Amino acid sequence: MPSIFATSSTAIPIIFVTKSSWDAARETLPPAQRQFAVASAFAAKPGSYLALPAPDGAIAQVLFGLEDDGAKSRDLFRPGALPGLLPAGTYRFANAPHDARLAALAFALGCYRFARYRKAETPDVRLVPPDGVDAAEIDRMADGAMLARDLINTPSNDMGPEQLAAAAQTLAAEFGASYACTIGEELEKNFPLIHAVGMASSRAPRLIDIGWGDLAHPKVTLVGKGVCFDTGGLDLKPSSGMLIMKKDMGGAANVLALARMVMDAKLKVRLRVLIPAVENAVSGNAFRPLDIFTSRKGITVEIGNTDAEGRLVLADALALADEEKPELLIDLGTLTGAARVALGPDLPPFYTNDETLAADVARCAAQENDPLWRMPLWPPYDAWLDSKTATVTNAPSGGFAGSITCALFLQRFVEHAGSWLHVDIFGWTPSAKPARPEGGECQAARAIYKMLSERYA
């Protein structure tokens, strides 16, 4: 997407006001504009918008309402509603919103439109970068978010394992990264869990492998769940549960978004990206409940539920990643409904035993308005994964602590990495909010990028 930033000496000013500041701000307006605001009953409610006319009928300036400083909650992405409200033109912030950098990012994210299948014109608006704001960094984060949104929003008939691999290959080529892909029956010997989940589909499963960066730099490996559609397998989902399962490759989409940010910023890392791309389908050769497979790591896995497939494909990819002993190993996946029950769609849980890493991730998540919440890798629950016939089950009975037991399952496949971070994202915005349209969403990638940029700039 082209940059939303521009320079202009005639940019239209946007004045941010709150209910408490509106009375004073109104008195600074020219008389005609002040009267126009009064006649329009503008009251500076959060999200309210008013274009004030110049004598010639053009827009002289824009009023936009924000929450008061003392409000119980403030949406720092509130200015992301502006691109959908403003007429075409170039604008500037006349005064400081609550956070100028996040407001500029929100403005960029608010310009997104998914237009692959129907006309949806991108807002023809530009913004003069606020003083002290790194426009290139904002563009970098926005471009990553747009990539993730486009990939997730594309329906599964046009975003199967092959198309996801093609998107990854295009990204690798853009930044001069290496690209390899293991396909179909080639997976059965070395990646049996990935093969098992994907073998029922007419669209062959894949393991995508991207490498980038100086070999002398610290090794950082990203793993993303790429289930391009999830029927639930033989443990079939109800129709309501399948409705947005095109988003089940959201972990892969967000890992690619994060990789784009890392490579564009030229962080001093040796980056590896692994994406198991599959479709969890139903056919005569679909894997079954109580089947047992020997994973890449040698751990035997009993299938407690075929709808707990994401952790299976991640397990083999994590095992491969772990063999190289990376300094930092990160996986993202749309994994459990339990995470949504616990924390809702907007607040993904993350897991790690590295206290420094946990503190850095939480701090960066807050700074970037990319919320994450730490959950425990609670050792007593690890025994719930025990199987009577295999080393481990992928779906313990009981139904409790589903996000935690998923994380504990994955932890069994990570042994040698210096630090490991697991994030159970939703990858979807159920109802539109400023800067966050309904549909596929970039979650955790900006927060993790911020953490990586602090460590490896």
Side-chain angles (χ1 to χ4, degrees):
M1 176 178 170
S3 175
I4 58 103
F5 294 111
T7 57
S8 172
S9 60
T10 59
I12 301 167
I14 298 171
I15 302 173
F16 295 104
V17 291
T18 67
K19 286 184 178 180
S20 63
S21 69
W22 170 231
D23 286 344
R26 182 177 57 217
E27 296 307 311
T28 67
L29 298 174
Q33 293 180 23
R34 182 166 63 246
Q35 183 57 38
F36 184 86
V38 171
S40 301
F42 183 80
K45 295 178 181 178
S48 58
Y49 156 86
L50 183 65
L52 299 175
D56 62 359
I59 298 175
Q61 50 192 345
V62 168
L63 301 174
F64 188 73
L66 299 177
E67 294 86 352
D68 277 308
D69 287 337
K72 183 179 293 186
S73 64
R74 294 183 302 174
D75 186 353
L76 297 179
F77 274 179
R78 178 75 63 190
L82 282 164
L85 300 171
L86 296 170
T90 300
Y91 297 83
R92 64 178 177 85
F93 296 165
N95 60 332
H98 295 308
D99 185 310
R101 185 178 65 85
L102 289 179
L105 175 60
F107 195 99
L109 295 175
C111 290
Y112 176 80
R113 300 292 184 272
F114 183 61
R116 180 165 176 168
Y117 301 95
R118 59 180 291 179
K119 186 176 181 180
E121 294 183 2
T122 301
D124 186 15
V125 292
R126 295 290 181 269
L127 181 68
V128 175
D131 291 343
V133 170
D134 185 341
E137 183 79 340
I138 298 296
D139 282 337
R140 184 174 298 127
M141 289 188 173
D143 285 346
M146 306 307 183
L147 172 63
R149 289 172 175 178
D150 276 348
L151 292 174
I152 297 170
N153 284 329
T154 302
S156 298
N157 60 314
D158 287 330
M159 188 50 64
E162 181 179 3
Q163 291 86 0
L164 182 57
Q169 187 172 18
T170 297
L171 180 66
E174 180 180 350
F175 291 97
S178 65
Y179 171 86
C181 192
T182 306
I183 303 173
E185 297 303 317
E186 299 173 10
L187 294 162
E188 187 171 11
K189 180 179 179 180
N190 292 318
F191 305 99
L193 295 180
I194 299 174
H195 180 264
V197 173
M199 65 185 178
S201 174
S202 61
R203 304 194 287 183
R206 287 161 165 75
L207 179 61
I208 300 160
D209 191 345
I210 294 172
W212 174 89
D214 190 327
L215 296 180
H217 289 158
K219 181 81 174 181
V220 174
T221 301
L222 311 176
V223 180
K225 173 187 170 185
V227 178
C228 295
F229 192 81
D230 182 20
T231 65
L234 293 179
D235 288 310
L236 196 68
K237 294 179 183 288
S239 59
S240 60
M242 271 191 258
L243 195 58
I244 57 171
M245 279 301 100
K246 68 177 184 178
K247 80 168 185 67
D248 215 20
M249 40 63 71
N254 278 282
V255 157
L256 290 174
L258 174 56
R260 165 177 262 288
M261 296 177 205
V262 168
M263 292 188 291
D264 189 65
K266 298 180 174 60
L267 297 189
K268 295 179 180 178
V269 297
R270 181 160 55 105
L271 182 69
R272 189 178 192 185
V273 178
L274 295 170
I275 294 173
V278 303
E279 180 176 37
N280 188 20
V282 178
S283 72
N285 68 331
F287 74 124
R288 297 162 288 259
L290 299 189
D291 280 355
I292 296 174
F293 298 93
T294 302
S295 67
R296 177 181 179 85
K297 194 172 178 62
I299 296 172
T300 55
V301 180
E302 181 183 34
I303 306 305
N305 192 306
T306 63
D307 197 20
E309 84 300 329
R311 67 198 69 183
L312 297 174
V313 300
L314 284 178
D316 270 353
L318 284 170
L320 172 63
D322 191 59
E323 290 164 11
E324 289 188 322
K325 302 179 181 179
E327 180 171 293
L328 182 56
L329 175 55
I330 300 169
D331 77 81
L332 275 67
T334 52
L335 285 154
T336 69
R340 315 290 76 86
V341 171
L343 298 174
D346 300 340
L347 185 58
F350 74 92
Y351 299 84
T352 182
N353 281 325
D354 184 328
E355 297 299 322
T356 301
L357 178 61
D360 287 346
V361 168
R363 175 176 49 78
C364 291
Q367 288 178 0
E368 297 306 315
N369 199 31
D370 191 9
L372 297 169
W373 194 266
R374 189 184 186 188
M375 295 270 275
L377 287 159
W378 188 244
Y381 293 167
D382 194 63
W384 295 0
L385 295 167
D386 292 344
S387 164
K388 295 179 180 179
T389 54
T391 310
V392 65
T393 177
N394 75 322
S397 60
F400 293 125
S403 183
I404 295 175
T405 55
C406 176
L408 290 168
F409 176 89
L410 295 175
Q411 186 180 39
R412 295 201 180 200
F413 296 85
V414 178
E415 183 180 1
H416 304 295
S419 295
W420 170 57
L421 174 69
H422 163 63
V423 191
D424 189 346
I425 67 171
F426 191 48
W428 190 263
T429 299
S431 57
K433 296 184 284 292
R436 292 148 292 188
E438 180 180 343
E441 190 51 276
C442 184
Q443 285 187 320
R446 290 186 293 104
I448 296 171
Y449 165 70
K450 179 68 173 179
M451 180 270 295
L452 294 175
S453 66
E454 289 182 357
R455 293 189 174 198
Y456 304 111

